[in-house]
Amino acid sequence: MALEAQRAYTNQRFDEAEKKYLETLSLAPDNVYTLANLGATQMELNKFTDAETHLKRALALDSEDAFSLALFGLLKFRQSKTDDAFDALSRAAKLDPDNAQTQNYLGLALAQKGQREAAEAAFRKAIQLAPGYAVAHYNLAVYYATQQPPTRELARWHYQKAVSVGHPKSDELEKLLARN
């Protein structure tokens, strides 16, 4: 059943994935993996309250689970609770420093907190860990395009890399990059 839920999630059938994870959870109510994946699924469905409930439960069972911490940090970021996002993502990054997604989201939280140099380092680490990670390249392009003064050549390079590996184009970023 968990495998079916995972397949549904991968294929972006989030309603189906949620049902399967809930069924799996009824059989093993204290399974951290199932709770975390259910929380991730519920985030995709914009059911933030339910996601928070399940992620907090997962963390109550295992406060050192890097996956649950990273998801909780992402949830807090989506809820615009930057300090909470930063705390959870920092802990997740310490527990699993080689997770590119965690590094990328940590970079976003750091940027929101105004810690631009640390954000750049986190985005760069995400790319070092996963060279084809389109979202991290895009975030680094935005970083370089918006710093004072902008570093447009680096921004253009990372933007082109992001687009070449599947990130959608951004009219807004392209306008920034077109400035002289």
Side-chain angles (χ1 to χ4, degrees):
M1 201 171 332
L3 186 56
E4 290 175 22
Q6 186 178 11
R7 270 192 230 126
Y9 183 92
T10 300
N11 292 314
Q12 298 183 352
R13 296 188 317 265
F14 300 119
D15 288 322
E16 179 185 339
E18 181 185 36
K19 287 177 188 162
K20 296 289 183 187
Y21 280 127
L22 285 168
E23 287 177 38
T24 303
L25 196 59
S26 71
L27 301 172
D30 291 336
N31 185 299
V32 172
Y33 170 84
T34 302
L35 286 162
N37 280 292
L38 176 57
T41 302
Q42 290 168 327
M43 274 195 287
E44 293 297 332
L45 294 168
N46 293 317
K47 295 181 177 181
F48 291 160
T49 302
D50 292 339
E52 185 164 351
T53 298
H54 291 107
L55 291 170
K56 280 183 174 179
R57 197 159 135 215
L59 289 168
L61 292 166
D62 183 357
S63 64
E64 300 295 306
D65 181 59
F67 180 61
S68 297
L69 278 167
L71 288 171
F72 189 73
L74 175 57
L75 173 66
K76 292 300 164 185
F77 183 81
R78 289 184 179 175
Q79 292 174 323
S80 299
K81 296 181 179 178
T82 306
D83 289 336
D84 293 339
F86 172 75
D87 290 343
L89 290 163
S90 293
R91 287 182 54 211
K94 284 179 187 165
L95 292 166
D96 186 7
D98 295 332
N99 186 303
Q101 284 186 315
T102 299
Q103 293 295 331
N104 179 64
Y105 289 121
L106 178 59
L108 290 172
L110 287 161
Q112 285 288 315
K113 290 177 68 67
Q115 297 180 24
R116 292 185 56 85
E117 289 180 19
E120 177 189 15
F123 293 140
R124 292 179 69 71
K125 182 161 185 177
I127 291 168
Q128 178 187 11
L129 294 167
Y133 189 8
V135 175
H137 278 287
Y138 179 83
N139 289 333
L140 198 51
V142 170
Y143 170 84
Y144 288 132
T146 59
Q147 73 180 10
Q148 294 301 325
T151 311
R152 286 196 181 85
E153 286 308 311
L154 274 174
R156 282 184 191 102
W157 189 89
H158 284 285
Y159 177 63
Q160 290 304 321
K161 181 67 175 178
V163 169
S164 76
V165 291
H167 196 281
K169 290 188 175 192
S170 166
D171 291 338
E172 186 177 333
L173 183 55
E174 287 184 12
K175 286 177 189 172
L176 275 176
L177 296 175
R179 293 181 186 163
N180 288 329

